[in-house]
Amino acid sequence: QLQLKESGSGLVKPSQTLSLTCAVSGGSISSGGYSWSWVRQPPGKGLEWIGSIYQSGDTHYKPSLKSRVTISADRSKNLFSLNLTSTTAADTAVYFCARASGYAYAIYFDHWGQGILVSVSS
Amino acid sequence: DIQMTQSPSTLSASVGDRVTITCRASQSINNWLAWYQQKPGKAPKLLIYRASSLETGVPSRFSGTGSGTEFTLTISSLQPDDFATYFCQQYNSYSPLTFGGGTKVEIK
């Protein structure tokens, strides 16, 4: 049974870098046909896709976030990570990692982590 | 970006009711639409993909229809476990994927 679990700092100071990791168990991030993604949800609001990484190493990001986002993978540890630079209070959200079927923008999310709340505050 | 508009934003219903939620896209997305259910403090759960395909393990009382710009999610007989917020998501390959604003189904 595929499981994903987020970890990282729950509090980030404004202008600093938000860093999260998603550990995957019950499946391999090197499996073809899937992407490994980050989605966030500000408190009480809707969902926003951040970006994805593929088995090939290709990455796709939401254009409005692209200049601040890096998603990387450590296949030896079966995990992938999110770095978001130059944070502001607007980046406060629950961050979910997820597995997606499809490629590039044409993906939907079939397995999700439990989510981790990250607050950006001094 | 393609805008996804859900209606209503909140829906009050009773156990056993037939419930319909609508999602409209600002331009045609063919049938590249997914529906999710989210309960408070939990991750979303995939219900339907490609507008009408039921994800494995999802009860058959959930169904999806539509194509182009208008889509519906129907719960044929609302169960206590179905009180939650529902989101649609478009995944047209020509535009970054986006979600609708959500529809909260609450107890009447």
mmCIF file of all heavy atoms in Angstrom, chain A residues 39 41 45-49 61-63 96 101 103-115, chain B residues 1 34 36 38 41-46 49 55 87 89-97 99-101:
data_model
loop_
_atom_site.group_PDB
_atom_site.id
_atom_site.type_symbol
_atom_site.label_atom_id
_atom_site.label_comp_id
_atom_site.label_asym_id
_atom_site.label_seq_id
_atom_site.Cartn_x
_atom_site.Cartn_y
_atom_site.Cartn_z
ATOM 1 N N VAL A 39 1.303 19.991 -3.582
ATOM 2 C CA VAL A 39 0.078 20.784 -3.655
ATOM 3 C C VAL A 39 -0.072 21.471 -2.298
ATOM 4 O O VAL A 39 0.223 20.865 -1.270
ATOM 5 C CB VAL A 39 -1.152 19.891 -3.926
ATOM 6 C CG1 VAL A 39 -2.442 20.719 -3.907
ATOM 7 C CG2 VAL A 39 -0.999 19.159 -5.251
ATOM 8 N N GLN A 41 -2.469 24.223 0.395
ATOM 9 C CA GLN A 41 -3.812 24.702 0.707
ATOM 10 C C GLN A 41 -3.721 25.697 1.855
ATOM 11 O O GLN A 41 -3.534 25.303 3.008
ATOM 12 C CB GLN A 41 -4.713 23.524 1.089
ATOM 13 C CG GLN A 41 -6.156 23.896 1.314
ATOM 14 C CD GLN A 41 -7.027 22.671 1.524
ATOM 15 O OE1 GLN A 41 -6.618 21.673 2.124
ATOM 16 N NE2 GLN A 41 -8.263 22.731 1.018
ATOM 17 N N LYS A 45 -8.884 27.630 2.643
ATOM 18 C CA LYS A 45 -9.000 27.983 1.231
ATOM 19 C C LYS A 45 -8.867 26.758 0.331
ATOM 20 O O LYS A 45 -8.881 25.613 0.800
ATOM 21 C CB LYS A 45 -7.953 29.048 0.886
ATOM 22 C CG LYS A 45 -8.168 30.359 1.629
ATOM 23 C CD LYS A 45 -7.261 31.440 1.123
ATOM 24 C CE LYS A 45 -7.552 32.756 1.846
ATOM 25 N NZ LYS A 45 -6.670 33.862 1.375
ATOM 26 N N GLY A 46 -8.733 27.011 -0.960
ATOM 27 C CA GLY A 46 -8.687 25.933 -1.936
ATOM 28 C C GLY A 46 -7.278 25.401 -2.162
ATOM 29 O O GLY A 46 -6.318 25.771 -1.497
ATOM 30 N N LEU A 47 -7.176 24.513 -3.133
ATOM 31 C CA LEU A 47 -5.943 23.787 -3.425
ATOM 32 C C LEU A 47 -5.177 24.451 -4.553
ATOM 33 O O LEU A 47 -5.766 24.973 -5.506
ATOM 34 C CB LEU A 47 -6.300 22.347 -3.817
ATOM 35 C CG LEU A 47 -7.002 21.538 -2.725
ATOM 36 C CD1 LEU A 47 -7.767 20.364 -3.332
ATOM 37 C CD2 LEU A 47 -5.982 21.032 -1.701
ATOM 38 N N GLU A 48 -3.850 24.404 -4.455
ATOM 39 C CA GLU A 48 -2.982 24.996 -5.477
ATOM 40 C C GLU A 48 -1.840 24.034 -5.773
ATOM 41 O O GLU A 48 -1.068 23.677 -4.877
ATOM 42 C CB GLU A 48 -2.418 26.337 -5.005
ATOM 43 C CG GLU A 48 -1.474 26.993 -5.996
ATOM 44 C CD GLU A 48 -0.882 28.285 -5.484
ATOM 45 O OE1 GLU A 48 -0.652 28.401 -4.253
ATOM 46 O OE2 GLU A 48 -0.633 29.181 -6.311
ATOM 47 N N TRP A 49 -1.733 23.625 -7.046
ATOM 48 C CA TRP A 49 -0.613 22.797 -7.468
ATOM 49 C C TRP A 49 0.649 23.654 -7.508
ATOM 50 O O TRP A 49 0.632 24.771 -8.020
ATOM 51 C CB TRP A 49 -0.896 22.214 -8.840
ATOM 52 C CG TRP A 49 0.256 21.520 -9.490
ATOM 53 C CD1 TRP A 49 0.846 20.354 -9.092
ATOM 54 C CD2 TRP A 49 0.943 21.920 -10.677
ATOM 55 N NE1 TRP A 49 1.856 20.008 -9.958
ATOM 56 C CE2 TRP A 49 1.939 20.952 -10.938
ATOM 57 C CE3 TRP A 49 0.825 23.006 -11.550
ATOM 58 C CZ2 TRP A 49 2.798 21.036 -12.032
ATOM 59 C CZ3 TRP A 49 1.665 23.095 -12.638
ATOM 60 C CH2 TRP A 49 2.651 22.117 -12.868
ATOM 61 N N TYR A 61 6.569 23.111 -13.139
ATOM 62 C CA TYR A 61 6.148 23.970 -12.040
ATOM 63 C C TYR A 61 5.002 24.874 -12.473
ATOM 64 O O TYR A 61 4.864 25.222 -13.640
ATOM 65 C CB TYR A 61 7.315 24.853 -11.584
ATOM 66 C CG TYR A 61 8.550 24.107 -11.125
ATOM 67 C CD1 TYR A 61 9.792 24.384 -11.681
ATOM 68 C CD2 TYR A 61 8.470 23.128 -10.143
ATOM 69 C CE1 TYR A 61 10.936 23.717 -11.256
ATOM 70 C CE2 TYR A 61 9.604 22.449 -9.717
ATOM 71 C CZ TYR A 61 10.832 22.748 -10.277
ATOM 72 O OH TYR A 61 11.958 22.068 -9.859
ATOM 73 N N LYS A 62 4.203 25.299 -11.484
ATOM 74 C CA LYS A 62 3.210 26.325 -11.760
ATOM 75 C C LYS A 62 3.957 27.585 -12.177
ATOM 76 O O LYS A 62 4.862 28.032 -11.459
ATOM 77 C CB LYS A 62 2.346 26.591 -10.527
ATOM 78 C CG LYS A 62 1.269 27.627 -10.781
ATOM 79 C CD LYS A 62 0.348 27.799 -9.607
ATOM 80 C CE LYS A 62 -0.724 28.820 -9.941
ATOM 81 N NZ LYS A 62 -1.708 28.983 -8.865
ATOM 82 N N PRO A 63 3.631 28.164 -13.318
ATOM 83 C CA PRO A 63 4.408 29.303 -13.828
ATOM 84 C C PRO A 63 4.577 30.449 -12.838
ATOM 85 O O PRO A 63 5.656 31.032 -12.743
ATOM 86 C CB PRO A 63 3.606 29.737 -15.066
ATOM 87 C CG PRO A 63 2.987 28.468 -15.545
ATOM 88 C CD PRO A 63 2.615 27.729 -14.283
ATOM 89 N N PHE A 96 0.878 19.435 0.886
ATOM 90 C CA PHE A 96 0.685 18.010 0.659
ATOM 91 C C PHE A 96 1.664 17.528 -0.407
ATOM 92 O O PHE A 96 1.871 18.211 -1.416
ATOM 93 C CB PHE A 96 -0.723 17.733 0.117
ATOM 94 C CG PHE A 96 -1.855 18.072 1.046
ATOM 95 C CD1 PHE A 96 -2.562 19.256 0.891
ATOM 96 C CD2 PHE A 96 -2.240 17.203 2.050
ATOM 97 C CE1 PHE A 96 -3.628 19.578 1.721
ATOM 98 C CE2 PHE A 96 -3.302 17.502 2.893
ATOM 99 C CZ PHE A 96 -3.985 18.701 2.730
ATOM 100 N N SER A 101 -1.000 10.640 -11.635
ATOM 101 C CA SER A 101 -0.991 9.917 -12.898
ATOM 102 C C SER A 101 -1.020 10.918 -14.039
ATOM 103 O O SER A 101 -1.750 11.916 -13.974
ATOM 104 C CB SER A 101 -2.216 8.997 -12.989
ATOM 105 O OG SER A 101 -2.143 7.960 -12.042
ATOM 106 N N TYR A 103 1.195 13.281 -17.135
ATOM 107 C CA TYR A 103 2.477 13.932 -17.401
ATOM 108 C C TYR A 103 2.301 15.437 -17.579
ATOM 109 O O TYR A 103 1.259 15.890 -18.064
ATOM 110 C CB TYR A 103 3.131 13.357 -18.680
ATOM 111 C CG TYR A 103 4.532 13.894 -18.907
ATOM 112 C CD1 TYR A 103 5.600 13.443 -18.144
ATOM 113 C CD2 TYR A 103 4.777 14.876 -19.869
ATOM 114 C CE1 TYR A 103 6.874 13.940 -18.316
ATOM 115 C CE2 TYR A 103 6.044 15.377 -20.056
ATOM 116 C CZ TYR A 103 7.101 14.900 -19.281
ATOM 117 O OH TYR A 103 8.371 15.398 -19.453
ATOM 118 N N ALA A 104 3.298 16.182 -17.150
ATOM 119 C CA ALA A 104 3.316 17.655 -17.276
ATOM 120 C C ALA A 104 2.081 18.233 -16.587
ATOM 121 O O ALA A 104 1.837 17.955 -15.427
ATOM 122 C CB ALA A 104 3.439 18.058 -18.730
ATOM 123 N N TYR A 105 1.292 19.038 -17.328
ATOM 124 C CA TYR A 105 0.104 19.635 -16.715
ATOM 125 C C TYR A 105 -1.068 18.661 -16.653
ATOM 126 O O TYR A 105 -2.044 18.905 -15.948
ATOM 127 C CB TYR A 105 -0.343 20.854 -17.523
ATOM 128 C CG TYR A 105 0.605 22.032 -17.506
ATOM 129 C CD1 TYR A 105 0.651 22.910 -18.591
ATOM 130 C CD2 TYR A 105 1.419 22.290 -16.421
ATOM 131 C CE1 TYR A 105 1.505 24.013 -18.577
ATOM 132 C CE2 TYR A 105 2.273 23.380 -16.404
ATOM 133 C CZ TYR A 105 2.309 24.241 -17.485
ATOM 134 O OH TYR A 105 3.137 25.321 -17.470
ATOM 135 N N ALA A 106 -0.972 17.575 -17.426
ATOM 136 C CA ALA A 106 -2.121 16.666 -17.556
ATOM 137 C C ALA A 106 -2.073 15.568 -16.507
ATOM 138 O O ALA A 106 -1.879 14.393 -16.833
ATOM 139 C CB ALA A 106 -2.155 16.090 -18.958
ATOM 140 N N ILE A 107 -2.212 15.958 -15.254
ATOM 141 C CA ILE A 107 -2.118 14.995 -14.161
ATOM 142 C C ILE A 107 -3.258 15.160 -13.179
ATOM 143 O O ILE A 107 -3.810 16.248 -13.021
ATOM 144 C CB ILE A 107 -0.779 15.124 -13.401
ATOM 145 C CG1 ILE A 107 -0.616 16.533 -12.803
ATOM 146 C CG2 ILE A 107 0.393 14.778 -14.303
ATOM 147 C CD1 ILE A 107 0.611 16.679 -11.918
ATOM 148 N N TYR A 108 -3.593 14.045 -12.526
ATOM 149 C CA TYR A 108 -4.505 14.099 -11.385
ATOM 150 C C TYR A 108 -3.869 13.254 -10.277
ATOM 151 O O TYR A 108 -3.007 12.426 -10.534
ATOM 152 C CB TYR A 108 -5.910 13.585 -11.745
ATOM 153 C CG TYR A 108 -5.948 12.159 -12.244
ATOM 154 C CD1 TYR A 108 -6.126 11.088 -11.360
ATOM 155 C CD2 TYR A 108 -5.793 11.869 -13.603
ATOM 156 C CE1 TYR A 108 -6.148 9.788 -11.812
ATOM 157 C CE2 TYR A 108 -5.820 10.574 -14.059
ATOM 158 C CZ TYR A 108 -5.993 9.531 -13.163
ATOM 159 O OH TYR A 108 -6.013 8.237 -13.616
ATOM 160 N N PHE A 109 -4.316 13.477 -9.038
ATOM 161 C CA PHE A 109 -3.601 12.977 -7.869
ATOM 162 C C PHE A 109 -4.339 11.809 -7.232
ATOM 163 O O PHE A 109 -5.458 11.955 -6.735
ATOM 164 C CB PHE A 109 -3.425 14.120 -6.868
ATOM 165 C CG PHE A 109 -2.787 15.327 -7.488
ATOM 166 C CD1 PHE A 109 -3.565 16.393 -7.928
ATOM 167 C CD2 PHE A 109 -1.422 15.385 -7.679
ATOM 168 C CE1 PHE A 109 -2.990 17.501 -8.534
ATOM 169 C CE2 PHE A 109 -0.830 16.495 -8.283
ATOM 170 C CZ PHE A 109 -1.609 17.544 -8.708
ATOM 171 N N ASP A 110 -3.696 10.631 -7.221
ATOM 172 C CA ASP A 110 -4.396 9.438 -6.734
ATOM 173 C C ASP A 110 -3.952 8.967 -5.358
ATOM 174 O O ASP A 110 -4.621 8.134 -4.746
ATOM 175 C CB ASP A 110 -4.321 8.298 -7.760
ATOM 176 C CG ASP A 110 -2.893 7.912 -8.117
ATOM 177 O OD1 ASP A 110 -1.943 8.377 -7.441
ATOM 178 O OD2 ASP A 110 -2.725 7.161 -9.096
ATOM 179 N N HIS A 111 -2.842 9.474 -4.864
ATOM 180 C CA HIS A 111 -2.405 9.177 -3.496
ATOM 181 C C HIS A 111 -1.824 10.455 -2.903
ATOM 182 O O HIS A 111 -1.068 11.154 -3.576
ATOM 183 C CB HIS A 111 -1.347 8.063 -3.461
ATOM 184 C CG HIS A 111 -1.897 6.703 -3.705
ATOM 185 N ND1 HIS A 111 -2.166 6.216 -4.958
ATOM 186 C CD2 HIS A 111 -2.241 5.709 -2.841
ATOM 187 C CE1 HIS A 111 -2.642 4.992 -4.877
ATOM 188 N NE2 HIS A 111 -2.700 4.661 -3.594
ATOM 189 N N TRP A 112 -2.168 10.707 -1.647
ATOM 190 C CA TRP A 112 -1.758 11.930 -0.975
ATOM 191 C C TRP A 112 -1.104 11.622 0.369
ATOM 192 O O TRP A 112 -1.444 10.642 1.037
ATOM 193 C CB TRP A 112 -2.981 12.808 -0.693
ATOM 194 C CG TRP A 112 -3.711 13.322 -1.891
ATOM 195 C CD1 TRP A 112 -4.473 12.582 -2.766
ATOM 196 C CD2 TRP A 112 -3.795 14.675 -2.325
ATOM 197 N NE1 TRP A 112 -5.020 13.423 -3.721
ATOM 198 C CE2 TRP A 112 -4.617 14.703 -3.479
ATOM 199 C CE3 TRP A 112 -3.259 15.879 -1.860
ATOM 200 C CZ2 TRP A 112 -4.909 15.889 -4.169
ATOM 201 C CZ3 TRP A 112 -3.559 17.051 -2.537
ATOM 202 C CH2 TRP A 112 -4.371 17.045 -3.668
ATOM 203 N N GLY A 113 -0.184 12.488 0.768
ATOM 204 C CA GLY A 113 0.297 12.471 2.136
ATOM 205 C C GLY A 113 -0.720 13.126 3.055
ATOM 206 O O GLY A 113 -1.730 13.666 2.599
ATOM 207 N N GLN A 114 -0.453 13.085 4.344
ATOM 208 C CA GLN A 114 -1.385 13.639 5.331
ATOM 209 C C GLN A 114 -1.352 15.152 5.375
ATOM 210 O O GLN A 114 -2.280 15.787 5.880
ATOM 211 C CB GLN A 114 -1.064 13.078 6.720
ATOM 212 C CG GLN A 114 0.332 13.471 7.213
ATOM 213 C CD GLN A 114 0.735 12.733 8.490
ATOM 214 O OE1 GLN A 114 0.202 11.682 8.817
ATOM 215 N NE2 GLN A 114 1.695 13.295 9.209
ATOM 216 N N GLY A 115 -0.281 15.750 4.873
ATOM 217 C CA GLY A 115 -0.140 17.204 4.880
ATOM 218 C C GLY A 115 0.649 17.695 6.079
ATOM 219 O O GLY A 115 0.662 17.065 7.139
ATOM 220 N N ASP B 1 -4.509 31.119 -17.170
ATOM 221 C CA ASP B 1 -4.896 29.851 -16.575
ATOM 222 C C ASP B 1 -6.404 29.617 -16.742
ATOM 223 O O ASP B 1 -7.183 30.555 -16.824
ATOM 224 C CB ASP B 1 -4.564 29.824 -15.076
ATOM 225 C CG ASP B 1 -3.071 29.793 -14.798
ATOM 226 O OD1 ASP B 1 -2.294 29.828 -15.788
ATOM 227 O OD2 ASP B 1 -2.694 29.724 -13.627
ATOM 228 N N ALA B 34 -11.120 15.924 -12.778
ATOM 229 C CA ALA B 34 -11.147 15.022 -11.627
ATOM 230 C C ALA B 34 -11.954 15.650 -10.502
ATOM 231 O O ALA B 34 -12.088 16.870 -10.425
ATOM 232 C CB ALA B 34 -9.731 14.733 -11.142
ATOM 233 N N TYR B 36 -12.493 15.402 -6.158
ATOM 234 C CA TYR B 36 -11.916 14.962 -4.899
ATOM 235 C C TYR B 36 -12.886 15.250 -3.756
ATOM 236 O O TYR B 36 -13.650 16.225 -3.808
ATOM 237 C CB TYR B 36 -10.608 15.696 -4.600
ATOM 238 C CG TYR B 36 -9.547 15.525 -5.645
ATOM 239 C CD1 TYR B 36 -9.494 16.363 -6.756
ATOM 240 C CD2 TYR B 36 -8.584 14.514 -5.542
ATOM 241 C CE1 TYR B 36 -8.530 16.211 -7.731
ATOM 242 C CE2 TYR B 36 -7.606 14.358 -6.518
ATOM 243 C CZ TYR B 36 -7.583 15.208 -7.600
ATOM 244 O OH TYR B 36 -6.630 15.052 -8.565
ATOM 245 N N GLN B 38 -12.730 16.006 0.414
ATOM 246 C CA GLN B 38 -11.816 16.329 1.499
ATOM 247 C C GLN B 38 -12.590 16.526 2.800
ATOM 248 O O GLN B 38 -13.550 17.296 2.836
ATOM 249 C CB GLN B 38 -10.992 17.582 1.193
ATOM 250 C CG GLN B 38 -9.920 17.861 2.243
ATOM 251 C CD GLN B 38 -9.077 19.081 1.937
ATOM 252 O OE1 GLN B 38 -9.556 20.065 1.377
ATOM 253 N NE2 GLN B 38 -7.802 19.032 2.307
ATOM 254 N N GLY B 41 -9.119 18.529 8.135
ATOM 255 C CA GLY B 41 -7.844 18.056 8.650
ATOM 256 C C GLY B 41 -7.251 16.878 7.900
ATOM 257 O O GLY B 41 -6.238 16.316 8.342
ATOM 258 N N LYS B 42 -7.863 16.517 6.782
ATOM 259 C CA LYS B 42 -7.387 15.359 6.012
ATOM 260 C C LYS B 42 -6.982 15.777 4.603
ATOM 261 O O LYS B 42 -7.317 16.861 4.125
ATOM 262 C CB LYS B 42 -8.499 14.297 5.917
ATOM 263 C CG LYS B 42 -8.969 13.780 7.263
ATOM 264 C CD LYS B 42 -7.885 13.000 7.974
ATOM 265 C CE LYS B 42 -8.416 12.348 9.257
ATOM 266 N NZ LYS B 42 -7.351 11.637 9.991
ATOM 267 N N ALA B 43 -6.254 14.885 3.952
ATOM 268 C CA ALA B 43 -5.896 15.114 2.554
ATOM 269 C C ALA B 43 -7.094 14.853 1.650
ATOM 270 O O ALA B 43 -8.005 14.088 2.012
ATOM 271 C CB ALA B 43 -4.749 14.192 2.163
ATOM 272 N N PRO B 44 -7.120 15.471 0.489
ATOM 273 C CA PRO B 44 -8.162 15.125 -0.489
ATOM 274 C C PRO B 44 -8.058 13.657 -0.880
ATOM 275 O O PRO B 44 -6.993 13.049 -0.819
ATOM 276 C CB PRO B 44 -7.841 16.033 -1.680
ATOM 277 C CG PRO B 44 -7.063 17.166 -1.093
ATOM 278 C CD PRO B 44 -6.261 16.566 0.016
ATOM 279 N N LYS B 45 -9.198 13.124 -1.304
ATOM 280 C CA LYS B 45 -9.281 11.742 -1.784
ATOM 281 C C LYS B 45 -9.857 11.766 -3.186
ATOM 282 O O LYS B 45 -10.901 12.382 -3.435
ATOM 283 C CB LYS B 45 -10.187 10.929 -0.860
ATOM 284 C CG LYS B 45 -10.491 9.525 -1.346
ATOM 285 C CD LYS B 45 -11.542 8.857 -0.469
ATOM 286 C CE LYS B 45 -11.969 7.520 -1.022
ATOM 287 N NZ LYS B 45 -13.042 6.895 -0.202
ATOM 288 N N LEU B 46 -9.179 11.108 -4.118
ATOM 289 C CA LEU B 46 -9.659 11.058 -5.498
ATOM 290 C C LEU B 46 -10.931 10.232 -5.581
ATOM 291 O O LEU B 46 -10.978 9.098 -5.114
ATOM 292 C CB LEU B 46 -8.583 10.452 -6.397
ATOM 293 C CG LEU B 46 -8.951 10.266 -7.864
ATOM 294 C CD1 LEU B 46 -9.137 11.612 -8.558
ATOM 295 C CD2 LEU B 46 -7.883 9.437 -8.581
ATOM 296 N N TYR B 49 -11.950 10.473 -12.129
ATOM 297 C CA TYR B 49 -11.015 11.071 -13.066
ATOM 298 C C TYR B 49 -11.580 10.938 -14.467
ATOM 299 O O TYR B 49 -12.524 10.175 -14.702
ATOM 300 C CB TYR B 49 -9.623 10.420 -12.952
ATOM 301 C CG TYR B 49 -9.613 8.934 -13.216
ATOM 302 C CD1 TYR B 49 -9.292 8.444 -14.479
ATOM 303 C CD2 TYR B 49 -9.939 8.020 -12.219
ATOM 304 C CE1 TYR B 49 -9.296 7.087 -14.739
ATOM 305 C CE2 TYR B 49 -9.946 6.670 -12.463
ATOM 306 C CZ TYR B 49 -9.619 6.201 -13.721
ATOM 307 O OH TYR B 49 -9.633 4.849 -13.973
ATOM 308 N N GLU B 55 -12.756 6.065 -9.406
ATOM 309 C CA GLU B 55 -11.527 5.514 -8.857
ATOM 310 C C GLU B 55 -11.828 4.207 -8.120
ATOM 311 O O GLU B 55 -12.896 4.044 -7.506
ATOM 312 C CB GLU B 55 -10.892 6.535 -7.905
ATOM 313 C CG GLU B 55 -9.684 6.062 -7.114
ATOM 314 C CD GLU B 55 -8.431 5.865 -7.958
ATOM 315 O OE1 GLU B 55 -8.516 5.865 -9.195
ATOM 316 O OE2 GLU B 55 -7.349 5.722 -7.357
ATOM 317 N N PHE B 87 -13.931 19.093 -4.360
ATOM 318 C CA PHE B 87 -13.199 19.954 -5.288
ATOM 319 C C PHE B 87 -13.143 19.312 -6.665
ATOM 320 O O PHE B 87 -12.931 18.095 -6.776
ATOM 321 C CB PHE B 87 -11.746 20.150 -4.822
ATOM 322 C CG PHE B 87 -11.595 20.941 -3.555
ATOM 323 C CD1 PHE B 87 -11.488 20.290 -2.327
ATOM 324 C CD2 PHE B 87 -11.519 22.319 -3.585
ATOM 325 C CE1 PHE B 87 -11.332 21.003 -1.153
ATOM 326 C CE2 PHE B 87 -11.360 23.051 -2.404
ATOM 327 C CZ PHE B 87 -11.268 22.388 -1.196
ATOM 328 N N GLN B 89 -10.984 19.510 -10.392
ATOM 329 C CA GLN B 89 -9.649 19.882 -10.856
ATOM 330 C C GLN B 89 -9.552 19.597 -12.347
ATOM 331 O O GLN B 89 -9.866 18.487 -12.788
ATOM 332 C CB GLN B 89 -8.566 19.072 -10.137
ATOM 333 C CG GLN B 89 -7.151 19.352 -10.626
ATOM 334 C CD GLN B 89 -6.351 18.096 -10.894
ATOM 335 O OE1 GLN B 89 -6.438 17.109 -10.154
ATOM 336 N NE2 GLN B 89 -5.536 18.117 -11.938
ATOM 337 N N GLN B 90 -9.125 20.596 -13.113
ATOM 338 C CA GLN B 90 -8.940 20.358 -14.545
ATOM 339 C C GLN B 90 -7.479 20.027 -14.808
ATOM 340 O O GLN B 90 -6.570 20.534 -14.130
ATOM 341 C CB GLN B 90 -9.396 21.574 -15.365
ATOM 342 C CG GLN B 90 -8.585 22.845 -15.191
ATOM 343 C CD GLN B 90 -7.305 22.886 -16.013
ATOM 344 O OE1 GLN B 90 -7.135 22.120 -16.956
ATOM 345 N NE2 GLN B 90 -6.393 23.783 -15.648
ATOM 346 N N TYR B 91 -7.263 19.161 -15.808
ATOM 347 C CA TYR B 91 -5.895 18.808 -16.156
ATOM 348 C C TYR B 91 -5.710 18.746 -17.664
ATOM 349 O O TYR B 91 -5.140 17.809 -18.217
ATOM 350 C CB TYR B 91 -5.415 17.536 -15.447
ATOM 351 C CG TYR B 91 -6.265 16.291 -15.574
ATOM 352 C CD1 TYR B 91 -5.860 15.236 -16.395
ATOM 353 C CD2 TYR B 91 -7.427 16.121 -14.838
ATOM 354 C CE1 TYR B 91 -6.594 14.074 -16.491
ATOM 355 C CE2 TYR B 91 -8.168 14.958 -14.936
ATOM 356 C CZ TYR B 91 -7.756 13.938 -15.759
ATOM 357 O OH TYR B 91 -8.494 12.779 -15.849
ATOM 358 N N ASN B 92 -6.196 19.772 -18.315
ATOM 359 C CA ASN B 92 -5.932 19.978 -19.737
ATOM 360 C C ASN B 92 -4.438 20.197 -19.932
ATOM 361 O O ASN B 92 -3.826 21.003 -19.239
ATOM 362 C CB ASN B 92 -6.709 21.219 -20.179
ATOM 363 C CG ASN B 92 -6.546 21.522 -21.645
ATOM 364 O OD1 ASN B 92 -5.431 21.721 -22.111
ATOM 365 N ND2 ASN B 92 -7.631 21.538 -22.362
ATOM 366 N N SER B 93 -3.843 19.527 -20.859
ATOM 367 C CA SER B 93 -2.386 19.535 -20.996
ATOM 368 C C SER B 93 -1.818 20.869 -21.464
ATOM 369 O O SER B 93 -0.609 21.083 -21.376
ATOM 370 C CB SER B 93 -1.948 18.429 -21.945
ATOM 371 O OG SER B 93 -2.494 18.627 -23.224
ATOM 372 N N TYR B 94 -2.662 21.785 -21.949
ATOM 373 C CA TYR B 94 -2.158 23.040 -22.516
ATOM 374 C C TYR B 94 -2.102 24.165 -21.511
ATOM 375 O O TYR B 94 -1.673 25.267 -21.841
ATOM 376 C CB TYR B 94 -3.016 23.437 -23.712
ATOM 377 C CG TYR B 94 -2.967 22.404 -24.805
ATOM 378 C CD1 TYR B 94 -4.057 21.574 -25.056
ATOM 379 C CD2 TYR B 94 -1.823 22.224 -25.574
ATOM 380 C CE1 TYR B 94 -4.005 20.606 -26.042
ATOM 381 C CE2 TYR B 94 -1.756 21.258 -26.559
ATOM 382 C CZ TYR B 94 -2.844 20.455 -26.789
ATOM 383 O OH TYR B 94 -2.794 19.490 -27.760
ATOM 384 N N SER B 95 -2.529 23.897 -20.289
ATOM 385 C CA SER B 95 -2.610 24.968 -19.302
ATOM 386 C C SER B 95 -2.342 24.382 -17.931
ATOM 387 O O SER B 95 -2.731 23.241 -17.662
ATOM 388 C CB SER B 95 -4.006 25.599 -19.365
ATOM 389 O OG SER B 95 -4.128 26.662 -18.452
ATOM 390 N N PRO B 96 -1.671 25.139 -17.054
ATOM 391 C CA PRO B 96 -1.404 24.590 -15.713
ATOM 392 C C PRO B 96 -2.682 24.091 -15.039
ATOM 393 O O PRO B 96 -3.725 24.738 -15.120
ATOM 394 C CB PRO B 96 -0.819 25.781 -14.968
ATOM 395 C CG PRO B 96 -0.221 26.634 -16.030
ATOM 396 C CD PRO B 96 -1.124 26.486 -17.206
ATOM 397 N N LEU B 97 -2.583 22.951 -14.379
ATOM 398 C CA LEU B 97 -3.770 22.397 -13.742
ATOM 399 C C LEU B 97 -4.254 23.329 -12.635
ATOM 400 O O LEU B 97 -3.471 23.988 -11.959
ATOM 401 C CB LEU B 97 -3.478 20.993 -13.212
ATOM 402 C CG LEU B 97 -2.490 20.863 -12.059
ATOM 403 C CD1 LEU B 97 -3.235 20.800 -10.735
ATOM 404 C CD2 LEU B 97 -1.632 19.621 -12.237
ATOM 405 N N PHE B 99 -7.691 23.994 -9.643
ATOM 406 C CA PHE B 99 -8.786 23.434 -8.863
ATOM 407 C C PHE B 99 -9.938 24.426 -8.776
ATOM 408 O O PHE B 99 -9.728 25.644 -8.831
ATOM 409 C CB PHE B 99 -8.324 23.122 -7.435
ATOM 410 C CG PHE B 99 -7.300 22.021 -7.329
ATOM 411 C CD1 PHE B 99 -5.946 22.297 -7.459
ATOM 412 C CD2 PHE B 99 -7.690 20.715 -7.090
ATOM 413 C CE1 PHE B 99 -4.992 21.296 -7.349
ATOM 414 C CE2 PHE B 99 -6.760 19.694 -6.967
ATOM 415 C CZ PHE B 99 -5.399 19.986 -7.100
ATOM 416 N N GLY B 100 -11.128 23.893 -8.585
ATOM 417 C CA GLY B 100 -12.266 24.730 -8.242
ATOM 418 C C GLY B 100 -12.179 25.162 -6.789
ATOM 419 O O GLY B 100 -11.355 24.662 -6.015
ATOM 420 N N GLY B 101 -13.046 26.087 -6.421
ATOM 421 C CA GLY B 101 -13.007 26.654 -5.076
ATOM 422 C C GLY B 101 -13.596 25.780 -3.990
ATOM 423 O O GLY B 101 -13.444 26.067 -2.798
#
